[in-house]
Amino acid sequence: MLLETTRGLFPRASIIGEGVLFMSKHNIAQTFIQSVDRLNEITAKAFSWLAVALVLMLVYEVAARYIFRAPTIWAFDMSYMLYGSHFIMGAAYVLSKNQNVRADVFYSRFSPRGQAIIDASLYPILFFPAVIVLIVWGADRAALAWATRELTIWTAWRAPIYPFITLLPVAAFLLLLQGIAQFIRSLTVAIKGR
Amino acid sequence: MDPEYLLVLAMFIALMVAIFSGFPLPFALMGTGLIFGLIGWGPGVFPQIVIRSLSIMTNDVLVAVPLFTFMGYMLERSGVADGLFASMQQIFASLRGSLALVTILVGTLLAATTGIAGASMAVLGILALNPMLTRGYDKPLATGSVIAGATLGQLIPPSLLMVVYAPAAGLSVVRMFSGGIFPGLLLSGLFVLYIGIRCYLRPELGPALPLEERQKILSLKVLKALLLGLAPPLLLILSVLGTILFGLATPTEAAATGGFFTVLICIALRKFNWQILKDVVYRTISTSSMIMMIILGASIFTGVFWALGGNQAVEALFALLDLTPTGTIIAVMVILFLLGKILDTIAIIMITVPIINPLIIELGIDPLWFGMLVMVNLQIAYLTPPFAYGIFYLKALNPPGVTLGHIYRGVIPFILLQIVALILCIIFPEIVLWLPEFLYD
Amino acid sequence: PPAADQAQNGEVVAPVETITWKMQTPWPTGMYLHDGPLRFAEKVEAMSGGRLKIEVTPAGTIVGAFDILDAVSDGVLDAGQGWAAYWAGRHPAAHLFSSTVGGPFGMDNLDYVSWLYFGGGLELYRQLYTEEMGLNVKVFPMDIIVEEPLGWFKEEITSLEELKGLKMRESGLTAEVYSKAGITVVAMPGGEILPSLERGVIDAAAFMCPTSDKQLGLMDVAKYYHTPSLHRPSGTLELLINQDRWNELPADLQAIVEVAAKETLLHTWMRGIFLNSADLQTLKEEHDVQIVRTPDDVLEMQLEAWAEVAAGHSANNPFFAEVFASQREHAERVVRYRREFYLPYGFAADHYWAE
Ligand code: NA
Ligand code: NA
């Protein structure tokens, strides 16, 4: 399925191009891009507060250890679950704001259209296959975690970890949506030249 | 060459092409990993990508990444540096090049409070650059000292680069932190010496502060201002490095207490409101997500690289070169320096450390010492164009009348000083190792 | 190029098919536990005349140390080494195949291994992974770590009460059981144990055994080494093989793998006693480490707290209850037999090596 997706995109590039033009005429693409941008911004902003939760929780943990001489049994497991949720749910937002690091030694010398051509031709090779793997096999892993009601094993807490594992395919799905949006953006610039 | 290494070679070349195509780094890494995993390995690569992603998501050391980012941005908004800068300025007012000297010293102190170079860069860029330019400082000298002062943050603990490096090399974050203190101070000292001597010889580069702007020495008001300026940063240093060194908390917990104290200081300085917090929190998720996705992508790539026998290829290559341990160190340092010119530092760590570290251990080289050499080396990367965060940040501030040429000329002497410091750390390992051994052995 | 091989007399030799496996361990290179899998691979290659080649890589190379079971089952790795407790988040019975706090009803390593091979243990072990957890994995016991001491302490303790007044770093089942007994357990990344103990973030920590504790350098930060302990008194590490890879092996190679695994178990066990006794001597003589006998009430706490935790798992999980009962049944005869029939270990030891 994955290989077909990648392989299939090349011969059909012109069809996609026409499709994009059609959609842009009818503003379908614009609506899609704007909704995805908005969705990922809302998601990231909601999850961004986990950083504050993380600060407060760990400060409480240190205080509990010294002032009450009673460290929590949950802070350790919670800390990596909060941190993991925080960054993975922000990934699509970073993509939408084009804030990912690029080694742009050469890239920065191209015109906007040249850059768009590079991006549009690399999304199908480097981005979509990997993100689809994260969704499909990630969902598989999450299903296993739910089926076994998987727990953490490091501390006395034995916390349920399956909701946390589920965030990986969810975040990957948001990345996919954002990737499609970015792809359409690049393709439009590549075709229209602006 | 062994034909089985051809695939590894192809993978490496493909990675370089993918990276320098300018495609977003995390996906250049992930995508190349997946394609070559499929070619050389088969469907095993599919679950591997998920397994490695989850293992980055549950990494108990990298928890410090969002915490240090949060603290850095909060610090930037706190205005802590304003008071610090003003008071230091009064102390050194009579010296030539005082503002540039103070920039380095404030950079050194800020470095001990924050783990990300970006925070120091923004603070120093806003605070120090304009006063220097309006007082007729040499533009290359002014920009160079701002960038150099800000990058000290990576070497003087706490340091995000070390938080990323330590788990990749199986080292303790705390030990790495303590190893960075003397190399960091050495560099800071070299910068100060350089600026002092240059401005003494050529006063027009950095004139002393005009008399009318100096305060009367020893007035109570000045002393009070001095104390008020110095207290918040010292309190922050205590809340982060202090909690680690006095044994109150792990580095991750210290990053959290540091962030918490920064908020308290903001409240005390009346620099805190809902809007500021929101702004800091949103920037934190952007930055730490950006950093973490590079780490995640690189982790997937290196997993495939190992599975295809990439490490054996590298080992075979080094065996072929038949270098002494010192020769190996020098070779690796040159490679890292060149990579540092063109690539993001975190990506460099995540790609090279899993490959090179086993080799280092095999040669009997102290991995902590080696790790600190990498840290000093990668600090140079912030200054070396074309891919230089330091220069990007400064350019983004758009200082009036400063051209890219000024900045490039400005960083050259500091790059040379950093190379000197790196060579000193290679010749005298005690610079790195004395403090960790004194503290923890 | 095997097809071109010709024997001296000109007779064409059938091409030899070489199978190569990727195997990962949960240990970093240089740690002595990494040697077990390395030796296993070496022996398999030698015994098979090079027909089965196993490439062993250290922790974190292809997957993380705690992802090896999934990786082997999914075919990411062909083989791997694991410790069953790492998978206890999926199934509580995994504890019973690593080591449990309190131990299996008084059995030591010798008795425990006899349960695995003769008391029905190995069948249950395989049933756990294939049927209970639905994995595509064949498991063999492969390595024995010597009994773990209680841990390293900054100050000597003489009672359970004193232990409760300290902050101790422990993880996994031990952390669960200790917490239940009211001990202050601090969780932290493994890499921070040493500096944290040095700086006093924690007052005590357990790592593994004299050889690896010495490798880590714990004697430089704490001087009181408390032993014995019942928190990991028995148990094996495991060899995990992807079931499809296993099925593809011809019968002779299967036999070679099986024998090599068992031989590695014996080898690591013997070597563990040899190395650990030497390293303990070095710790005492060259590093002034004080060996302190663990207070009896701490040992009793380990037995009692485990009984409570185990009863909980038994009530909730029929398979856990089945394995637990099987261990009990084996122990009832074997432990009684050894106590009734064997000379107490100290008897002749006192004669020769009285303190
Ligand atoms: Na710093
Ligand atoms: Na650079």
Side-chain angles (χ1 to χ4, degrees):
Chain A
M1 170 210 165
L2 175 79
L3 275 175
E4 277 141 28
T5 316
T6 8
R7 209 186 292 135
L9 277 171
F10 287 104
R12 279 181 229 146
S14 60
I15 303 173
I16 292 178
E18 281 162 31
V20 168
L21 287 178
F22 173 82
M23 285 192 295
S24 74
K25 244 177 240 159
H26 294 81
N27 266 340
I28 298 171
Q30 274 313 308
T31 316
F32 173 77
I33 289 174
Q34 281 164 4
S35 327
V36 170
D37 280 350
R38 188 90 194 100
L39 170 69
N40 281 327
E41 183 171 349
I42 292 171
T43 310
K45 286 186 171 174
F47 276 83
S48 70
W49 293 96
L50 292 187
V52 175
L54 191 57
V55 169
L56 294 176
M57 190 189 78
L58 288 173
V59 168
Y60 176 80
E61 166 72 4
V62 175
R65 195 186 310 147
Y66 292 100
I67 301 170
F68 321 125
R69 291 202 67 82
T72 65
I73 59 166
W74 42 264
F76 183 79
D77 287 314
M78 272 308 273
S79 70
Y80 63 75
M81 286 199 249
L82 289 181
Y83 130 91
S85 315
H86 180 257
F87 88 76
I88 204 75
M89 296 306 279
Y93 179 59
V94 173
L95 188 66
S96 90
K97 292 277 167 197
N98 201 10
Q99 279 175 340
N100 278 301
V101 175
R102 297 170 182 262
D104 59 357
V105 182
F106 307 109
Y107 184 83
S108 58
R109 296 180 192 179
F110 287 103
S111 66
R113 185 174 196 177
Q115 294 181 346
I117 291 173
I118 293 174
D119 283 343
S121 47
L122 289 180
Y123 263 97
I125 303 172
L126 296 174
F127 182 91
F128 291 122
V131 170
I132 289 169
V133 168
L134 282 176
I135 296 172
V136 175
W137 274 267
D140 216 39
R141 178 66 183 82
L144 174 70
W146 279 88
T148 55
R149 292 289 185 272
E150 195 164 331
L151 307 175
T152 63
I153 56 166
W154 300 116
T155 65
W157 188 29
R158 298 294 159 122
I161 197 171
Y162 41 92
F164 172 71
I165 290 175
T166 313
L167 284 184
L168 177 62
V170 170
F173 181 71
L174 293 176
L175 260 178
L176 177 69
L177 291 181
Q178 193 64 53
I180 294 171
Q182 303 303 98
F183 178 63
I184 297 173
R185 274 189 173 124
S186 310
L187 210 54
T188 315
V189 176
I191 293 167
K192 290 182 170 177
R194 61 185 159 79
Chain B
M1 191 183 219
D2 195 321
E4 70 174 288
Y5 296 148
L6 283 179
L7 188 65
V8 174
L9 186 69
M11 184 182 186
F12 189 73
I13 293 169
L15 177 72
M16 286 299 134
V17 172
I19 286 178
F20 292 111
S21 71
F23 201 67
L25 207 45
F27 305 105
L29 287 156
M30 251 185 241
T32 319
L34 174 62
I35 292 167
F36 279 83
L38 264 178
I39 296 172
W41 184 10
V45 73
F46 298 137
Q48 190 257 7
I49 286 180
V50 168
I51 289 171
R52 283 201 83 106
S53 302
L54 283 172
S55 115
I56 293 294
M57 283 169 70
T58 52
N59 186 304
D60 49 13
V61 177
L62 294 173
V63 173
V65 172
L67 293 168
F68 278 128
T69 311
F70 175 82
M71 185 188 172
Y73 284 139
M74 207 69 223
L75 185 78
E76 195 185 313
R77 303 300 298 265
S78 69
V80 158
D82 304 35
L84 180 63
F85 195 81
S87 36
M88 299 286 271
Q89 200 177 320
Q90 288 306 322
I91 299 176
F92 294 95
S94 58
L95 285 178
R96 289 171 186 171
S98 63
L99 286 176
L101 290 174
V102 168
T103 303
I104 299 296
L105 294 175
V106 170
T108 309
L109 279 175
L110 279 181
T113 64
T114 177
I116 57 173
S120 301
M121 193 67 73
V123 169
L124 286 183
I126 294 162
L127 216 62
L129 196 56
N130 272 334
M132 281 196 274
L133 294 178
T134 51
R135 284 181 183 82
Y137 269 58
D138 177 50
K139 280 167 190 158
L141 180 77
T143 50
S145 40
V146 165
I147 298 178
T151 51
L152 286 170
Q154 289 301 341
L155 204 52
I156 295 175
S159 155
L160 198 70
L161 272 196
M162 295 182 197
V163 169
V164 172
Y165 187 96
L171 292 170
S172 147
V173 175
V174 167
R175 274 176 181 250
M176 285 203 81
F177 278 6
S178 63
I181 293 179
F182 280 120
L185 293 178
L186 169 72
L187 256 179
S188 168
L190 287 175
F191 293 166
V192 163
L193 266 179
Y194 163 75
I195 294 170
I197 292 172
R198 251 200 105 197
C199 291
Y200 181 79
L201 296 177
R202 293 183 56 196
E204 75 276 12
L205 293 180
L209 206 63
L211 278 173
E212 60 270 24
E213 282 187 41
R214 298 186 204 169
Q215 307 272 348
K216 272 198 195 119
I217 311 298
L218 279 182
S219 97
L220 256 171
K221 212 174 137 196
V222 173
L223 266 178
K224 195 181 156 202
L226 263 180
L227 284 177
L228 278 179
L230 281 170
L234 292 180
L235 185 66
L236 279 181
I237 294 174
L238 204 68
S239 77
V240 182
L241 284 189
T243 40
I244 297 175
L245 295 178
F246 295 137
L248 291 173
T250 62
T252 306
E253 292 166 345
T257 50
F260 186 70
F261 272 91
T262 317
V263 172
L264 291 188
I265 287 171
C266 281
I267 295 173
L269 296 175
R270 303 188 186 287
K271 286 281 173 57
F272 186 85
N273 61 42
W274 181 244
Q275 198 49 47
I276 287 177
L277 181 66
K278 240 163 72 174
D279 177 59
V280 166
V281 165
Y282 294 163
R283 282 166 74 196
T284 300
I285 195 167
S286 289
T287 301
S288 58
S289 214
M290 175 201 91
I291 294 172
M292 289 311 308
M293 288 306 285
I294 297 174
I295 293 177
L296 192 142
S299 168
I300 288 172
F301 176 85
T302 50
V304 175
F305 192 76
W306 269 90
L308 298 191
N311 59 305
Q312 288 155 317
V314 173
E315 260 173 45
L317 179 68
F318 272 88
L320 209 68
L321 296 175
D322 194 27
L323 296 167
T324 59
T326 317
T328 309
I329 289 180
I330 292 169
V332 172
M333 287 302 135
V334 172
I335 294 170
L336 289 180
F337 177 82
L338 294 176
L339 281 178
K341 282 177 69 67
I342 49 180
L343 199 54
D344 172 71
T345 47
I346 286 180
I348 295 173
I349 290 177
M350 292 305 295
I351 296 169
T352 59
V353 172
I355 298 165
I356 290 172
N357 203 52
L359 202 78
I360 292 304
I361 292 173
E362 203 144 292
L363 285 170
I365 298 167
D366 185 332
L368 178 65
W369 175 52
F370 179 77
M372 293 318 302
L373 296 183
V374 175
M375 288 298 118
V376 178
N377 193 324
L378 289 186
Q379 202 205 11
I380 309 175
Y382 281 84
L383 275 63
T384 50
F387 194 96
Y389 267 127
I391 297 173
F392 295 165
Y393 273 112
L394 211 62
K395 240 173 35 180
L397 292 174
N398 201 12
V402 175
T403 65
L404 210 54
H406 290 137
I407 304 181
Y408 283 158
R409 260 186 292 143
V411 293
I412 290 171
F414 291 97
I415 293 174
L416 293 176
L417 290 172
Q418 285 173 324
I419 294 175
V420 168
L422 178 61
I423 293 171
L424 285 175
C425 290
I426 294 177
I427 300 174
F428 306 106
E430 307 83 49
I431 300 174
V432 169
L433 293 176
W434 182 80
L435 190 62
E437 277 168 10
F438 173 76
L439 284 175
Y440 300 116
D441 286 340
Chain C
D5 276 358
Q6 287 209 327
Q8 291 264 306
N9 56 10
E11 181 191 355
V12 178
V13 177
V16 179
E17 201 198 344
T18 317
I19 299 170
T20 308
W21 278 0
K22 277 180 224 315
M23 173 172 179
Q24 193 188 298
T25 82
W27 324 112
T29 8
M31 184 166 176
Y32 94 109
L33 290 175
H34 189 63
D35 298 347
L38 283 177
R39 181 190 147 87
F40 163 76
E42 204 178 282
K43 290 291 163 196
V44 167
E45 194 174 339
M47 285 195 279
S48 66
R51 285 163 57 219
L52 180 54
K53 214 170 139 8
I54 302 177
E55 289 167 0
V56 179
T57 63
T61 50
I62 298 172
V63 295
F66 310 113
D67 302 314
I68 289 175
L69 180 67
D70 279 342
V72 172
S73 177
D74 292 341
V76 177
L77 297 167
D78 304 305
Q81 183 169 65
W83 193 52
Y86 292 158
W87 335 125
R90 299 260 184 85
H91 201 301
H95 282 309
L96 298 171
F97 296 98
S98 51
S99 184
T100 55
V101 185
F105 304 101
M107 292 196 281
D108 64 7
N109 267 323
L110 190 62
D111 306 331
Y112 174 79
V113 172
S114 95
W115 170 69
L116 280 177
Y117 286 120
F118 297 98
L122 189 52
E123 288 76 16
L124 290 166
Y125 202 169
R126 292 191 171 145
Q127 198 181 330
L128 169 70
Y129 287 169
T130 55
E131 287 165 37
E132 288 288 313
M133 294 169 72
L135 297 162
N136 192 32
V137 156
K138 181 105 178 166
V139 65
F140 298 90
M142 188 168 80
D143 200 318
I144 286 200
I145 316 178
V146 297
E147 293 77 351
E148 277 190 28
L150 184 70
W152 295 85
F153 289 70
K154 303 273 269 191
E155 304 291 338
E156 200 174 331
I157 60 156
T158 57
S159 70
L160 178 59
E161 271 320 298
E162 283 178 30
L163 180 58
K164 284 181 181 173
L166 301 178
K167 297 185 294 288
M168 182 163 191
R169 193 267 179 188
E170 257 299 357
S171 66
L173 182 65
T174 314
E176 187 179 354
V177 169
Y178 283 12
S179 293
K180 196 141 277 175
I183 293 163
T184 309
V185 181
V186 179
M188 62 175 57
E192 300 309 328
I193 296 177
L194 199 71
S196 297
L197 190 55
E198 158 70 30
R199 295 281 102 183
V201 180
I202 46 175
D203 310 303
F207 185 60
M208 206 174 277
C209 58
T211 297
S212 44
D213 290 6
K214 180 167 152 275
Q215 248 179 352
L216 188 64
L218 280 162
M219 66 285 181
D220 296 327
V221 297
K223 285 292 173 210
Y224 298 95
Y225 202 10
H226 285 58
T227 192
S229 175
L230 277 165
H231 74 281
R232 261 165 231 165
S234 63
T236 66
L237 298 171
E238 61 197 10
L239 165 67
L240 300 161
I241 298 174
N242 178 281
Q243 186 72 52
D244 301 331
R245 296 293 91 73
W246 173 256
N247 295 343
E248 285 159 19
L249 285 188
D252 61 333
L253 288 185
Q254 285 189 343
I256 285 171
V257 168
E258 194 168 355
V259 169
K262 211 173 202 172
E263 196 272 349
T264 303
L265 183 133
L266 187 65
H267 175 88
T268 52
W269 195 354
M270 307 297 109
R271 182 171 177 255
I273 287 174
F274 180 78
L275 289 180
N276 278 285
S277 56
D279 285 318
L280 186 65
Q281 200 173 349
T282 313
L283 285 175
K284 287 196 286 192
E285 287 169 7
E286 287 170 28
H287 299 276
D288 300 320
V289 169
Q290 302 289 310
I291 308 301
V292 180
R293 205 195 122 75
T294 304
D296 281 347
D297 55 357
V298 172
L299 298 170
E300 279 154 20
M301 169 278 290
Q302 292 175 329
L303 289 170
E304 282 157 17
W306 165 238
E308 208 178 302
V309 172
H313 286 313
S314 280
N316 294 328
N317 190 303
F319 186 75
F320 183 98
E322 187 185 342
V323 179
F324 201 52
S326 167
Q327 287 186 342
R328 190 188 180 100
E329 192 190 327
H330 188 79
E332 187 169 13
R333 197 177 74 223
V334 168
V335 175
R336 281 185 167 161
Y337 154 74
R338 280 188 56 187
R339 194 160 72 163
E340 190 176 22
F341 220 67
Y342 279 32
L343 192 65
Y345 196 76
F347 192 86
D350 284 346
H351 179 76
Y352 290 105
W353 313 110
E355 293 299 313

